[in-house]
Amino acid sequence: MSCKHYKNSPQKYYKIISFATFVGLLYACSTTKKVPDGEYLLVKNNFEFEDKKEPFDSELKGYVQQKPNKRQFLFMPLSLWLYNSANPKYDTLLNEYMTYPNELRNQKLRDSLFVKYNMKSSVGKSLFFDRLYHSWGSAPVILDQTKTEKGAQSIEKRLTYRGYWDAEVKFKHDLDSTAKKAAVTYFITHKDPTYIKEYYYNITDPTVKAVYKEKLHESLVRQGKILDQTVLEKEVMRINDLMKDYGYYRFNSFGDEVYFVADSIKSRKQVPLTLEIHKDSLDRPYKRSTIGNIDVAIVDEMGDYPKNTTKDSLRGIRFHKTTNKYDSRAIWRAITVGHNQLYDQKKFDLTKRNLLSMNNFSILKSRDSLRHGGGTSPNDSIIDVMYVLKPLPKYELKLATDVNYSQLLNLGVSPSADLTTRNVFGGAENLSTSVAGTFGSIRSTKDISKRVLAYEYSVQTSLNFPRLLLPFDYYKLIPKRYSPTSSIVLGASVQNNIGLGRINFNTGLNYLATVNDKVSHRLTLFNTQLSLTKNKDAYYDYFVNDNAIREEIFKDYFATHSSVAQDFASGQLTIDQVSQKITEDTDYLKGLNQQGADRFTAFVGTLVNKDRQTQDVLISSMIYNFIYNEIGKKDYPNAFYFNGKVELAGNIFSIFNQKRNDGGIVTAPERTIFGVPYAQFVKFDFDVRKYFKFSNNTLVLRQFVGLGIPYGNTSNMPVIRSYFNGGSNDIRAWVAFGGLGPADSQVDERVRTYMTDNLKLTTNIEFRIPFSDMYEGALFTDIGNTWSLKNYNDGYGDEFKFNKFLKQVGVGSGFGLRINVAYITLRLDLAYKIYDPNKPDGDRWRIKDFQPFKPTLNIAFGYPF
């Protein structure tokens, strides 16, 4: 920071400093307002580990008996402030008032309490704000030293549970009589853990024993590991799920059939462990169960079944209906359990998900039970299944307004209206029609320091089928458990973003198959998009930087070509015609000095930008998308995520059409359909993420690789399928179209800013640190850039080369704050440029120009990845 900047800082940031001082004083003065004399407000629990720190130690704070008041606003205890804002005179009264049922809380009750507590002067008063502060706030947590001791005992028990049988926990109170505040420090000593010396299993049922031995390699319990009972609990759950997969219905349903026995007589440090599995005290054998009757009732009310229904059956499933509006085959597809099949709990769970995902029914009753026969004793091998479904309303209208943030659009508002028409053809098909708009601001192409209105209107119609639209029976190829669905999509949108705006039409046929809760496949056939550019002739009015470069080279050219200047001034030559003359004038180009050559390269860049930004294009492609996702699964703390997409476009059109247009100034003629060029390309997108948990902290690594290969009728990827840098989910030190890339090109930044390219590599590293349930911090580094493929855009220096690309990536780092409110995560990221490959050599490392008060601010909802 320069001396001048330092001197001006107090004036420049006085508001921030004043606000911070005010918050500090408010915090210091108000938190102990209602703490009685001689008592202490518990402000902090500290944990000190005397010998070491284990990965699970972060959970120990949950075992203390007393926790300080939660901090919400700017890490301050907002709820405590609210409670303290209520008049202390009314605390006792309000505490009693809140114990009454909600329907009894009225002015009459308050008046009776005022009289009871000798507060007659308040009769007739509502005390609205006092009640509001009191009910929204939380009372101060007063230190209770006996609870501290109990908390230490709870921590010690948890350590024992975790395998540290000899652990010790001591504590100390730090009391501040003047401030009426206290802190508690817990001193934790783990000592040596108890290990599993040998591992045995005693399973009397030979079939169950064989299943367990077959999957023994998946066991979480190992010889030589710490005897951690949380691991034993997970192993019991694994065994339960395993046995249910093999047909053992309600295996260990009461939790007393599977348990572990540890022999600690000889040693507390090396303990033999035995797994015991017994059905009962008589060691009766287990039986595998099969599915018996499957009944599905479609009724308006629960009482309609069975007396008001008509019966139907299909492939082992009995249907009971009060209406014939639903085809039995459509419901049959959703039911993955089958008559006489071996019991499998996963199929039961999947069936319920399928029925709900059809968005045609609510489930009034779902029951699976052992069949009773010959008296009161159950038959423990046959399971009868019943689903009672209630049709949802035929029509459903939803109105909503979303707040969103994208790489291009700033904070925007998106009102929408969605109309769902259910069971269109009797097979549980849904027709969804959506009318939506998005309004926000975007960086102006005329002045990048300003933002202008951006908007989009769209109409989208989707006809969804709970099956695959194929002319043959596909269940031998794609099992019912994959829950295959199809949709036909038709839509249109009008958008105004970086200036010119576009009109888009799209249609497609989509297939989706979900293999399990981690793996899904999506295939899009006939994905067709028509994109038309509005206001093409106004290109230079919107892209004023391109116009400035054009005017510079026109002025230089006119200086030696007066006749062209006269024809241009009189309107006989257009801007495009003059531009083409300049690009084809070899004598003029040979006479340029280095400065002129650089200016001409930038000028050609403006022509490429103009051709691409004003391009009308027809894209007809086939897209395959594969997703593997462990995120959010409790069994995968170190989750892995992979999203791979392949798109192949334009080959069908190339067979039937040979008509060509005239091409652009710098682009060759292209074959067209109804005057619109169609694109031919193959495109690959790969998004790979890995999450590593360290206690409560998370390290996230992400790698994105995008590659578009134009061919045939296309020399460059369409702009709507190309790659650019920057934004809140990308390289955050640069805004979208903020001057990074392509490669380390030295083309004038005024032109380079809006260049898109065919190859993109992005690496993101983020370390997330939770401060509380509501707040989370993050440290991150983003690395990446875009390039063209070899021999494309000669002269720009943007081609990808293996021996150069590492020196051409942009690097940005920063820190962020995430605020979790209900189900919404608000994200604020402050990022700084570390290495800018588009600066001249010797000026690319930006550390020397570091300005801590001028970060790139990113505001978004949700995590970036």
Side-chain angles (χ1 to χ4, degrees):
M1 183 183 292
S2 67
C3 181
K4 179 180 179 181
H5 185 81
Y6 175 79
K7 291 179 179 179
N8 290 335
S9 291
Q11 289 76 26
K12 186 175 183 180
Y13 304 109
Y14 76 94
K15 292 183 179 179
I16 298 175
I17 296 170
S18 299
F19 180 72
T21 303
F22 168 75
V23 170
L25 291 174
L26 184 64
Y27 174 66
C29 296
S30 65
T31 54
T32 58
K33 179 179 179 181
K34 292 187 178 181
V35 176
D37 292 338
E39 303 286 358
Y40 299 90
L41 175 70
L42 179 62
V43 295
K44 192 172 185 181
N45 286 323
N46 300 305
F47 299 85
E48 293 190 9
F49 302 93
E50 299 295 284
D51 50 357
K52 55 188 171 182
K53 187 172 176 63
E54 296 294 336
F56 63 84
D57 282 338
S58 60
E59 72 186 37
L60 298 179
K61 66 178 66 175
Y63 288 87
V64 298
Q65 299 293 308
Q66 280 194 306
K67 301 178 181 66
N69 292 91
K70 288 186 176 181
R71 300 171 180 246
Q72 297 93 5
F73 177 67
L74 297 176
F75 308 106
M76 301 299 178
L78 177 60
S79 60
L80 178 57
W81 287 352
L82 290 173
Y83 185 88
N84 287 341
S85 297
N87 193 324
K89 182 178 179 182
Y90 303 118
D91 278 348
T92 303
L93 182 149
L94 291 173
N95 279 326
E96 182 173 344
Y97 178 78
M98 299 303 293
T99 63
Y100 284 83
N102 189 58
E103 61 271 14
L104 297 180
R105 296 178 198 166
N106 52 33
Q107 187 62 52
K108 183 178 180 180
L109 174 61
R110 288 193 294 272
D111 289 344
S112 67
L113 292 175
F114 290 145
V115 173
K116 176 181 177 180
Y117 287 98
N118 196 26
M119 297 160 56
K120 298 179 181 179
S121 60
S122 298
V123 171
K125 297 180 180 178
S126 68
L127 304 179
F128 174 79
F129 286 105
D130 287 291
R131 287 187 287 115
L132 187 68
Y133 296 153
H134 188 89
S135 59
W136 284 6
S138 59
V141 177
I142 306 299
L143 176 66
D144 185 338
Q145 299 190 24
T146 61
K147 289 186 177 181
T148 303
E149 184 175 358
K150 291 180 180 178
Q153 293 172 357
S154 297
I155 295 173
E156 199 168 284
K157 289 179 181 178
R158 185 61 182 178
L159 289 166
T160 302
Y161 201 78
R162 279 291 200 163
Y164 292 85
W165 291 9
D166 298 325
E168 291 183 353
V169 180
K170 299 179 181 179
F171 59 87
K172 183 184 73 172
H173 295 110
D174 296 314
L175 307 178
D176 186 340
S177 301
T178 303
K180 297 203 296 187
K181 294 180 180 180
V184 180
T185 301
Y186 295 91
F187 301 92
I188 299 170
T189 305
H190 296 86
K191 297 188 178 180
D192 293 332
T194 298
Y195 291 94
I196 301 172
K197 184 179 181 180
E198 293 102 7
Y199 179 53
Y200 308 99
Y201 49 89
N202 180 27
I203 306 173
T204 55
D205 187 302
T207 308
V208 172
K209 185 175 182 179
V211 172
Y212 181 76
K213 287 181 66 176
E214 181 183 348
K215 300 293 184 178
L216 185 59
H217 63 281
E218 298 178 1
S219 175
L220 305 176
V221 181
R222 294 277 194 277
Q223 179 181 339
K225 295 290 186 180
I226 296 175
L227 184 54
D228 186 341
Q229 293 196 53
T230 62
V231 177
L232 303 187
E233 291 173 351
K234 292 178 181 178
E235 176 66 5
V236 171
M237 293 176 61
R238 186 191 73 85
I239 294 171
N240 292 344
D241 293 340
L242 174 64
M243 295 307 164
K244 290 177 181 178
D245 290 344
Y246 277 77
Y248 294 99
Y249 180 67
R250 292 186 178 174
F251 182 87
N252 194 30
S253 58
F254 293 103
D256 57 354
E257 300 172 20
V258 181
Y259 54 93
F260 291 90
V261 177
D263 184 1
S264 59
I265 295 176
K266 294 181 179 180
S267 173
R268 289 174 55 85
K269 297 301 180 185
Q270 297 289 334
V271 176
L273 184 68
T274 303
L275 167 67
E276 301 280 353
I277 299 181
H278 307 276
K279 184 175 182 181
D280 50 37
S281 60
L282 300 178
D283 278 337
R284 285 182 292 187
Y286 288 90
K287 287 187 179 181
R288 293 189 181 185
S289 301
T290 55
I291 307 301
N293 297 329
I294 304 174
D295 292 281
V296 179
I298 302 176
V299 296
D300 293 324
E301 300 295 339
M302 190 68 195
D304 291 336
Y305 173 74
K307 58 183 180 180
N308 295 331
T309 60
T310 57
K311 295 182 180 180
D312 186 15
S313 64
L314 177 66
R315 299 188 182 185
I317 300 177
R318 305 187 304 191
F319 292 91
H320 311 264
K321 305 177 184 177
T322 57
T323 174
N324 289 320
K325 293 181 180 178
Y326 287 91
D327 184 4
S328 298
R329 185 175 176 84
I331 315 302
W332 170 83
R333 294 188 186 97
I335 299 174
T336 56
V337 295
H339 182 64
N340 287 333
Q341 290 183 356
L342 195 65
Y343 160 74
D344 186 345
Q345 182 61 43
K346 291 180 181 177
K347 291 184 178 180
F348 280 83
D349 298 336
L350 180 58
T351 295
K352 291 183 69 174
R353 287 200 298 269
N354 286 348
L355 290 171
L356 292 174
S357 66
M358 293 172 73
N359 193 24
N360 269 261
F361 307 101
S362 60
I363 301 178
L364 298 180
K365 185 177 183 179
S366 172
R367 188 184 71 186
D368 51 87
S369 58
L370 291 172
R371 178 181 298 177
H372 289 264
T376 58
S377 61
N379 184 324
D380 60 356
S381 62
I382 299 178
I383 304 169
D384 291 329
V385 183
M386 176 189 294
Y387 299 100
V388 181
L389 311 178
K390 179 179 179 179
L392 295 174
K394 178 74 173 180
Y395 302 100
E396 182 179 9
L397 177 64
K398 292 183 179 179
L399 302 177
T401 299
D402 295 331
V403 179
N404 52 61
Y405 190 96
S406 69
Q407 293 187 20
L408 285 176
L409 191 68
N410 197 3
L411 198 64
V413 179
S414 301
S416 63
D418 298 284
L419 176 64
T420 299
T421 305
R422 296 186 173 93
N423 196 35
V424 177
F425 304 118
E429 306 88 354
N430 290 344
L431 177 65
S432 300
T433 304
S434 174
V435 179
T438 299
F439 306 91
S441 65
I442 195 169
R443 199 169 57 136
S444 171
T445 55
K446 297 182 179 181
D447 184 352
I448 62 175
S449 65
K450 297 181 179 179
R451 303 191 70 89
V452 296
L453 175 67
Y455 62 83
E456 178 178 359
Y457 308 105
S458 65
V459 178
Q460 191 87 359
T461 298
S462 176
L463 183 58
N464 303 296
F465 299 82
R467 61 187 182 276
L468 296 185
L469 292 178
L470 293 174
F472 55 86
D473 193 344
Y474 55 83
Y475 288 107
K476 293 182 179 179
L477 300 175
I478 304 176
K480 288 172 62 177
R481 68 176 183 272
Y482 286 7
S483 307
T485 60
S486 307
S487 63
I488 300 174
V489 178
L490 179 65
S493 66
V494 179
Q495 62 180 223
N496 180 64
N497 43 40
I498 57 176
L500 304 179
R502 288 184 178 276
I503 301 174
N504 296 303
F505 301 92
N506 66 285
T507 185
L509 171 60
N510 305 310
Y511 296 131
L512 175 65
T514 304
V515 177
N516 51 46
D517 61 347
K518 298 185 291 293
V519 178
S520 63
H521 303 266
R522 185 183 184 91
L523 178 65
T524 301
L525 295 176
F526 314 119
N527 179 69
T528 303
Q529 181 175 0
L530 174 63
S531 181
L532 306 175
T533 305
K534 300 188 300 179
N535 304 324
K536 293 183 181 182
D537 296 336
Y539 177 82
Y540 287 115
D541 294 333
Y542 286 105
F543 290 81
V544 294
N545 289 328
D546 285 26
N547 189 51
I549 292 174
R550 178 196 66 79
E551 289 178 344
E552 291 174 8
I553 204 160
F554 271 33
K555 181 179 180 181
D556 184 68
Y557 190 76
F558 290 162
T560 54
H561 298 76
S562 57
S563 61
V564 177
Q566 292 173 1
D567 291 342
F568 177 70
S570 62
Q572 297 181 45
L573 291 175
T574 65
I575 290 178
D576 288 349
Q577 289 172 332
V578 175
S579 297
Q580 189 157 8
K581 281 182 175 293
I582 294 174
T583 60
E584 295 173 351
D585 193 333
T586 55
D587 292 335
Y588 170 73
L589 300 180
K590 290 179 181 178
L592 293 175
N593 57 22
Q594 185 58 50
Q595 182 180 1
D598 291 342
R599 184 168 57 240
F600 178 75
T601 300
F603 174 63
V604 174
T606 69
L607 300 179
V608 173
N609 280 349
K610 182 175 183 293
D611 281 351
R612 300 189 75 185
Q613 295 290 349
T614 61
Q615 177 188 39
D616 294 337
V617 66
L618 179 64
I619 300 174
S620 182
S621 62
M622 180 175 68
I623 304 173
Y624 170 69
N625 192 194
F626 171 80
I627 298 177
Y628 178 87
N629 183 13
E630 296 176 350
I631 300 173
K633 310 295 187 299
K634 64 179 181 179
D635 295 331
Y636 298 91
N638 298 320
F640 176 76
Y641 172 90
F642 175 82
N643 188 341
K645 185 168 67 173
V646 180
E647 182 176 9
L648 182 63
N651 290 346
I652 295 178
F653 288 152
S654 66
I655 297 174
F656 302 103
N657 189 273
Q658 299 296 324
K659 186 176 181 180
R660 295 177 181 269
N661 61 14
D662 296 330
I665 300 173
V666 292
T667 56
E670 300 168 300
R671 286 180 287 181
T672 64
I673 294 179
F674 301 113
V676 179
Y678 60 88
Q680 282 185 276
F681 61 84
V682 59
K683 188 169 182 277
F684 305 89
D685 286 344
F686 302 101
D687 187 349
V688 184
R689 309 173 194 176
K690 180 64 179 177
Y691 298 75
F692 298 93
K693 295 287 290 186
F694 300 97
S695 185
N696 283 340
N697 304 323
T698 305
L699 174 65
V700 187
L701 306 179
R702 175 182 182 247
Q703 180 64 56
F704 176 84
V705 179
L707 174 63
I709 305 175
Y711 64 90
N713 197 45
T714 303
S715 57
N716 273 295
M717 291 290 292
V719 67
I720 57 177
R721 290 292 197 274
S722 296
Y723 302 104
F724 61 91
N725 292 310
S728 60
N729 297 330
D730 195 67
I731 305 174
R732 285 162 279 187
W734 281 265
V735 298
F737 292 113
L740 174 60
D744 59 353
S745 172
Q746 300 299 299
V747 174
D748 193 310
E749 184 175 350
R750 293 175 294 175
V751 176
R752 182 170 44 77
T753 293
Y754 287 96
M755 283 185 174
T756 58
D757 246 321
N758 303 349
L759 172 63
K760 181 180 177 74
L761 299 176
T762 303
T763 301
N764 304 98
I765 305 170
E766 183 166 292
F767 189 66
R768 298 169 183 169
I769 311 161
F771 301 132
S772 66
D773 293 339
M774 187 172 182
Y775 295 100
E776 182 181 52
L779 302 173
F780 59 84
T781 295
D782 305 320
I783 306 167
N785 209 332
T786 59
W787 293 264
S788 68
L789 299 179
K790 189 176 181 180
N791 298 326
Y792 287 100
N793 294 340
D794 287 339
Y796 301 155
D798 63 343
E799 65 272 16
F800 179 85
K801 294 183 178 180
F802 280 102
N803 61 346
K804 293 178 60 178
F805 84 96
L806 288 177
K807 297 180 180 179
Q808 297 174 331
V809 296
V811 180
S813 293
F815 57 92
L817 176 67
R818 289 86 171 93
I819 305 173
N820 301 301
V821 181
Y823 298 101
I824 300 174
T825 298
L826 173 64
R827 174 162 54 93
L828 307 174
D829 286 332
L830 303 178
Y832 301 88
K833 297 174 184 176
I834 304 300
Y835 181 83
D836 187 346
N838 300 112
K839 295 292 184 182
D841 286 334
D843 195 31
R844 296 186 175 184
W845 288 101
R846 310 305 296 164
I847 301 297
K848 63 181 184 299
D849 299 317
F850 180 69
Q851 294 179 299
F853 295 107
K854 291 186 178 181
T856 300
L857 173 64
N858 294 274
I859 304 174
F861 294 97
Y863 290 100
F865 39 82

